[in-house]
């Protein structure tokens, strides 16, 4: 056992004395040391229940003969951080989480790990750590929030943000806004639609790193506690069989994840996180693979924000395995891959039934014959940009309009709320990328304001920043190279005509190469907005979004 390096033999007597100081008995010290990475905190609704998940995992580990030992991982609530400087600290925590978990796991010689994440950057950060450490590891998340209910309709956080826009434009009253505020988010858990947290928890299941139900069992269900106990027991089997993360997260597994990403209509942030996780596995994911996979993968689910169904509905319909089984009727998944169940994908999904064809559409009747995400390229984004096609109104799949350019989210919000955005406009928000932000803020406030003002079917938004999974509409993010890295988005001027064709995967500004070259003469990008502390170090090391915003290593 790996932990023998710090607990066996005369030379380890000092280390054993410190383990005894923790209250451990000789019997516990003799068992495999299982690290439980708990993301519990009291500021993130998706993490407030993780203390109970952690205790259940500890019970499962102990039942199966292991010695469970808890240590923490941080997490930021993107919803609370939204719209102010706090959002600059969301994406950057992904690397802090991976690095700190690596440090704790190796410093204390754990034999295996159970990761307990839930929210947006916490899941990919821990998946990156699992790939980097490559010791037996299993995931069990805190689970999704239940949908809210306002005036007889299910709601979610995206409804809440759009309600603010509706109030600002006089479409609802202060009393109606207050009702949304009190009812949109009714329980603990990751926000209830197919936003980034739930996207990544579902894709963790697809990758084979979590047991069935990890992505969909609601946080408040007792099934979630049972799942955690089973994960605790299962890690002992993975340790015995020496099944490691890189045995599971192969190139074929990532292709499966991209395929299911398209079928489920996941958040565009998955296009940041999957390449970053794959990179830690020694696999390079080219974003063009996404379009190739999307071209033959039907979109079967329209969960919020694309539709009015929620994670609890997907769970009742059969969950991720049911969607996988449906998609695999077309032979689109590689099913002979090993997973944390100790079985192959084919064995896992065999016989799983789609219980509600209104929630999980059959492959014969998809929402669209192509996937939920598209990667666009053109002279505005030579290295690509990303849009959640499944959440775009049909009339906006092809759009041409004049640019209105802003160098920050705050400038754009002032213009939207000031009534300066009109039908047909293309809002361009730049210097909000990984380097320029720094930190690549989500733009849920401006996209929600656009929707709340009734402009969602006539106005597009383009940014080198990114979007919350709760965003819907013609919202195109991850423009690469970003403005701060010298990308063409930094050269766009007010009034330039921008042409978007999502089905053709193109995005271009109607400016000649010669004009772009003339604009570039003497032009230098704006410097990152923050020049001290962690964000300054991050800005100096981070790559553009097309590379997954990974940190460069010399």
């Amino acid at each position: 056992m790996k932990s023998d390096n710090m607990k066996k033999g005369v030379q380890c007597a000092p280390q054993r004395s410190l383990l005894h100081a923790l209250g451990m008995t000789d019997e516990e010290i003799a068992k495999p040391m299982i690290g439980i990475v708990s993301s519990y905190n009291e500021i993130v609704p998706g993490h407030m229940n993780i203390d109970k998940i952690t205790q259940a995992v500890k019970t499962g580990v102990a039942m199966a003969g292991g010695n469970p030992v808890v240590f923490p991982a941080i997490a930021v609530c993107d919803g609370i951080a939204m719209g102010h400087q706090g959002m600059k600290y969301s994406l950057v925590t992904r690397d802090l989480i991976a690095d700190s978990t690596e440090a704790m796991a190796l410093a204390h010689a754990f034999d295996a790990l159970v990761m307990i994440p839930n929210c947006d950057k916490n899941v990919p950060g821990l998946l990156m750590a699992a790939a980097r450490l490559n010791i037996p590891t299993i995931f069990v998340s805190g689970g999704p929030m239940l949908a809210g209910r306002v005036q007889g309709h299910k709601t979610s956080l995206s409804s809440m943000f759009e309600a603010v826009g509706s109030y600002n434009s006089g479409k609802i009253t202060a009393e109606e806004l207050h009702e949304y505020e009190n009812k949109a988010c009714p329980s603990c858990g990751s926000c209830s639609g197919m936003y980034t947290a739930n996207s990544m928890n579902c894709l963790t299941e697809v990758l084979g790193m979590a047991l069935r139900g990890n992505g969909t069992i609601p946080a408040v269900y007792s099934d979630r506690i049972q799942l955690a106990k089973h994960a605790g027991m299962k890690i002992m089997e993975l340790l015995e069989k020496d099944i490691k993360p890189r045995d599971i997260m192969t190139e074929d597994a990532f292709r499966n994840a991209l395929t299911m990403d398209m079928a489920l209509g996941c958040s565009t942030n998955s296009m940041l996180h999957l390449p970053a996780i794959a990179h830690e596995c020694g696999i390079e994911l080219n974003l063009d693979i996404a379009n190739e996979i999307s071209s033959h993968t039907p979109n079967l689910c329209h969960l919020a924000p694309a539709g009015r169904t929620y994670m609890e509905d997907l769970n009742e319909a059969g969950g991720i395995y049911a969607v996988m089984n449906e998609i695999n009727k077309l032979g689109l998944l590689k099913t002979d891959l090993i997973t944390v169940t100790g079985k192959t994908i084919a064995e896992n999904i065999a016989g799983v039934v789609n219980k509600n064809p209104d929630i999980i559409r059959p492959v014969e009747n998809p929402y669209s014959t192509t996937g939920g995400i598209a990667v666009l390229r053109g002279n505005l984004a030579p290295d690509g940009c990303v849009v959640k096609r499944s959440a775009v109104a049909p009339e906006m799949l092809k759009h041409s309009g004049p640019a209105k350019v802003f160098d920050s989210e705050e400038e754009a919000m002032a213009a939207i709320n000031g009534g300066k955005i009109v039908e047909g406009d293309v809002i361009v928000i730049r210097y909000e990328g990984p380097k320029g932000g720094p930190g690549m803020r989500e733009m849920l406030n401006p996209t929600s304001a656009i929707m709340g003002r009734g402009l969602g079917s006539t106005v597009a938004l383009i940014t080198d920043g990114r979007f919350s999974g709760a965003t819907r509409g013609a919202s195109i993010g991850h423009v690469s190279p970003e403005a701060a890295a010298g990308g063409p988005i930094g050269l766009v001027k007010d009034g330039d005509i921008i042409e978007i064709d999502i089905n053709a995967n193109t995005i271009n500004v109607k400016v000649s190469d010669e004009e772009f070259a003339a604009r570039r003469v003497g032009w230098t990008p704006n410097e990152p907005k923050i020049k001290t502390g962690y964000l300054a170090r991050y800005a100096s090391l981070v790559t553009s979004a097309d590379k997954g915003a990974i940190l460069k290593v010399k």
Side-chain angles (χ1 to χ4, degrees):
M1 291 188 296
K2 191 179 182 71
S3 61
D4 287 349
N5 292 325
M6 57 92 172
K7 67 184 188 182
K8 262 202 169 182
V10 172
Q11 73 279 4
C12 289
Q15 287 91 334
R16 289 196 299 275
S17 73
L18 292 169
L19 295 177
H20 286 307
L22 292 167
M24 287 188 191
T25 65
D26 289 333
E27 292 82 0
E28 287 174 298
I29 293 171
K31 294 177 180 180
M33 196 82 74
I34 310 300
I36 314 297
V37 188
S38 172
S39 304
Y40 169 75
N41 65 48
E42 294 184 342
I43 188 61
V44 184
H47 291 241
M48 63 183 284
N49 65 318
I50 283 180
D51 57 340
K52 296 177 177 60
I53 303 296
T54 300
Q55 187 57 52
V57 169
K58 289 180 69 178
T59 299
V61 169
M63 287 168 64
N67 181 15
V69 182
V70 177
F71 66 89
I74 64 169
V76 163
C77 178
D78 282 27
I80 294 174
M82 195 73 65
H84 60 95
Q85 183 165 307
M87 181 45 69
K88 294 178 184 290
Y89 286 90
S90 172
L91 179 60
V92 304
T93 64
R94 191 182 69 180
D95 294 279
L96 282 175
I97 290 163
D99 292 348
S100 60
T101 302
E102 174 193 354
M104 288 293 289
L106 293 181
H108 303 103
F110 287 106
D111 295 301
L113 298 170
V114 182
M115 307 287 201
I116 312 178
N118 211 27
C119 288
D120 294 28
K121 311 313 163 303
N122 186 245
V123 184
L126 289 177
L127 281 165
M128 289 164 67
R132 191 183 301 174
L133 290 162
N134 203 34
I135 60 176
T137 303
I138 193 169
F139 278 66
V140 56
S141 75
M145 185 183 289
L146 294 176
R149 282 169 174 76
V150 176
Q151 298 174 5
H153 299 287
K154 286 186 177 181
T155 60
S156 61
L157 185 65
S158 55
S159 309
M160 183 67 248
F161 275 91
E162 290 179 19
V164 173
S166 295
Y167 172 76
N168 286 336
S169 59
K171 294 185 176 182
I172 64 172
T173 65
E175 290 74 19
E176 289 172 310
L177 179 64
H178 186 68
E179 184 179 9
Y180 270 99
E181 183 179 330
N182 283 281
K183 294 182 177 179
C185 299
S187 75
C188 63
S190 48
C191 296
S192 56
M194 189 56 82
Y195 310 144
T196 306
N198 291 329
S199 295
M200 293 309 302
N201 283 320
C202 290
L203 294 180
T204 301
E205 218 176 307
V206 177
L207 282 168
M209 289 297 294
L211 300 177
R212 181 182 179 185
N214 179 71
T216 59
I217 297 172
V220 297
Y221 283 14
S222 296
D223 284 357
R224 176 65 54 180
I225 300 296
Q226 294 169 357
L227 178 72
K229 290 178 181 176
H230 283 133
M233 289 185 274
K234 185 61 70 172
I235 192 61
M236 299 307 295
E237 180 184 328
L238 294 173
L239 178 60
E240 180 184 355
K241 294 180 177 178
D242 196 32
I243 298 174
K244 301 185 183 77
R246 284 185 228 160
D247 299 327
I248 295 169
M249 291 192 286
T250 62
E251 187 168 353
D252 283 333
F254 282 102
R255 289 188 70 92
N256 282 349
L258 283 168
T259 298
M260 288 299 296
D261 192 320
M262 300 302 168
L264 290 163
C266 291
S267 163
T268 52
N269 283 310
S270 62
M271 294 292 103
L272 275 178
H273 300 321
L274 288 175
I277 300 159
H279 179 76
E280 295 288 353
C281 293
I283 299 164
E284 299 306 314
L285 282 188
N286 186 316
L287 282 185
D288 288 331
I289 297 174
N291 284 341
E292 179 254 310
I293 290 174
S294 178
S295 68
H296 57 252
T297 304
N299 177 226
L300 305 184
C301 299
H302 262 196
L303 281 77
R308 291 193 171 274
T309 54
Y310 298 85
M311 297 306 296
E312 62 199 62
D313 302 312
L314 180 58
N315 188 61
E316 294 303 317
I320 300 307
Y321 279 15
V323 186
M324 292 176 76
N325 213 12
E326 193 68 49
I327 277 292
N328 204 46
K329 290 177 182 178
L330 301 175
L332 296 180
L333 298 177
K334 186 78 169 175
T335 60
D336 60 349
L337 309 181
I338 194 68
T339 71
V340 291
T341 66
K343 300 177 181 178
T344 64
I345 289 171
E347 292 173 303
N348 288 343
I349 68 175
V352 179
V353 176
N354 177 1
K355 298 178 183 178
N356 189 337
D358 292 329
I359 305 298
I360 305 170
R361 285 201 175 182
V363 291
E364 299 83 8
N365 181 36
Y367 283 101
S368 64
T369 56
T370 53
I373 287 178
V375 176
L376 316 183
R377 289 184 187 268
N379 69 352
L380 186 59
D383 293 337
C385 55
V386 178
V387 62
K388 190 170 184 175
R389 174 166 42 200
S390 59
V392 178
E395 58 269 31
M396 287 299 289
L397 290 170
K398 190 171 185 177
H399 180 76
S400 178
K404 288 193 174 170
V405 183
F406 307 95
D407 284 353
S408 71
E409 177 187 0
E410 288 82 0
E411 292 176 19
M413 280 299 296
I416 296 168
N417 289 332
K420 296 179 180 178
I421 303 301
V422 298
E423 291 185 4
D425 282 346
V426 178
I427 301 169
V428 176
I429 305 177
R430 60 195 181 192
Y431 295 107
E432 291 286 7
K435 179 186 293 292
M440 201 179 186
R441 287 193 289 182
E442 290 183 345
M443 301 289 157
L444 182 56
N445 274 352
T447 58
S448 298
I450 290 165
M451 285 293 174
R453 287 178 170 270
L455 296 170
S457 61
T458 59
V459 169
L461 192 155
I462 299 169
T463 181
D464 54 9
R466 61 194 178 91
F467 297 109
S468 164
T471 285
R472 62 191 177 103
S475 303
I476 300 165
H478 306 195
V479 170
S480 299
E482 62 174 296
I489 189 173
L491 302 172
V492 177
K493 294 182 177 181
D494 283 340
D496 287 347
I497 301 300
I498 295 176
E499 295 182 332
I500 302 162
D501 191 333
I502 293 172
N503 286 332
N505 304 116
T506 60
I507 183 166
N508 289 287
V509 56
K510 292 188 71 176
V511 171
S512 67
D513 292 344
E514 293 77 14
E515 171 63 16
F516 258 153
R519 291 183 187 182
R520 193 174 286 278
V521 173
W523 171 78
T524 56
N526 293 355
E527 293 185 0
K529 298 182 178 79
I530 294 178
K531 300 177 183 179
T532 59
Y534 177 54
L535 288 181
R537 294 197 300 276
Y538 182 86
S540 71
L541 294 171
V542 73
T543 60
S544 282
D546 63 299
K547 303 292 191 300
I550 60 172
L551 301 185
K552 294 173 285 189
V553 178
K554 290 184 180 179

